[in-house]
Amino acid sequence: MKKVKQILAIIGIVLLVSLYVITLVLALTDDPNTMTVFRASLYCTFLIPVLIWAYTFIYKLLKNNYGSKLSKDITTESSDDETTK
């Protein structure tokens, strides 16, 4: 899980840096769509970290809920097997 988090963090950093570089390049080229791309870049600057946080939060929540239910089911099944023997 640690490797996955590191990879996702690196991907997030690359995405954010590339958004800023693209915005800077378009600002220097005097493109009429510069303001639109800047707004999209600003929007994604907030959206990407929030989505990464939400995905990891939901993953932890589901992992804890299903993991605890699974361990309870296994414990219950094994104790039922021992009492029937």
Side-chain angles (χ1 to χ4, degrees):
M1 182 66 185
K2 187 176 180 180
K3 286 280 191 186
V4 174
K5 285 184 180 181
Q6 288 176 344
I7 292 170
L8 287 176
I10 291 170
I11 291 172
I13 290 169
V14 168
L15 282 173
L16 290 174
V17 169
S18 64
L19 286 172
Y20 295 132
V21 169
I22 290 170
T23 304
L24 178 65
V25 168
L26 287 175
L28 296 174
T29 60
D30 194 30
D31 189 12
N33 295 325
T34 301
M35 197 59 180
T36 306
V37 175
F38 176 73
R39 286 184 188 138
S41 174
L42 190 62
Y43 179 73
C44 288
T45 299
F46 293 105
L47 184 67
I48 290 171
V50 168
L51 285 177
I52 291 173
W53 175 83
Y55 291 148
T56 56
F57 179 75
I58 291 171
Y59 174 76
K60 287 179 185 178
L61 187 66
L62 291 176
K63 182 180 173 185
N64 289 340
N65 283 343
Y66 288 122
S68 63
K69 287 181 183 178
L70 182 61
S71 65
K72 286 179 185 177
D73 290 343
I74 292 172
T75 307
T76 305
E77 288 177 9
S78 63
S79 64
D80 288 344
D81 290 342
E82 292 174 4
T83 57
T84 56
K85 288 182 180 181

